[in-house]
Amino acid sequence: MITLYSQYFNPNISRKYGRRISRERAKNYSDEKLEHILNTMNVKYEVREAHYSRIPYEDSKMFIIEGNIKKSTIIKIIGEKL
């Protein structure tokens, strides 16, 4: 099971606070686009409201993905598709 937070793709925060893809690719991010990308990848996932630990005062979405793929690999795939 893999947990992704929307902060991983948020262009308004720095890598220090959790962004995991380049700012250029992150400019195209939205929660709807991420859900669309996950649907095209045919993975089972669940979306929950959450707070990312590095920015606990900001609301976030948590995407829980079922699969045997590494987190870094799935983040890289999503970053390329944005």
Side-chain angles (χ1 to χ4, degrees):
M1 195 163 12
I2 301 165
T3 304
L4 300 178
Y5 290 90
S6 58
Q7 269 78 10
Y8 293 175
F9 312 101
N10 187 341
N12 299 323
I13 62 172
S14 67
R15 287 191 181 261
K16 176 182 175 181
Y17 289 109
R19 183 173 43 84
R20 301 241 179 137
I21 62 172
S22 71
R23 189 164 266 144
E24 284 298 314
R25 292 197 184 269
K27 287 180 182 177
N28 299 323
Y29 173 75
S30 72
D31 290 332
E32 293 79 24
K33 282 186 181 181
L34 180 56
E35 288 188 47
H36 176 71
I37 291 169
L38 293 174
N39 285 329
T40 60
M41 293 173 64
N42 292 324
V43 295
K44 293 182 181 180
Y45 67 93
E46 179 182 341
V47 181
R48 296 183 187 169
E49 295 295 321
H51 294 277
Y52 185 56
S53 60
R54 292 187 186 174
I55 310 174
Y57 49 85
E58 189 175 299
D59 290 335
S60 174
K61 288 198 178 180
M62 178 172 58
F63 296 84
I64 301 170
I65 302 168
E66 293 180 23
N68 294 331
I69 190 168
K70 287 183 170 182
K71 182 186 271 191
S72 59
T73 304
I74 199 159
I75 289 173
K76 186 176 180 181
I77 292 169
I78 291 168
E80 289 172 358
K81 292 188 177 198
L82 284 175

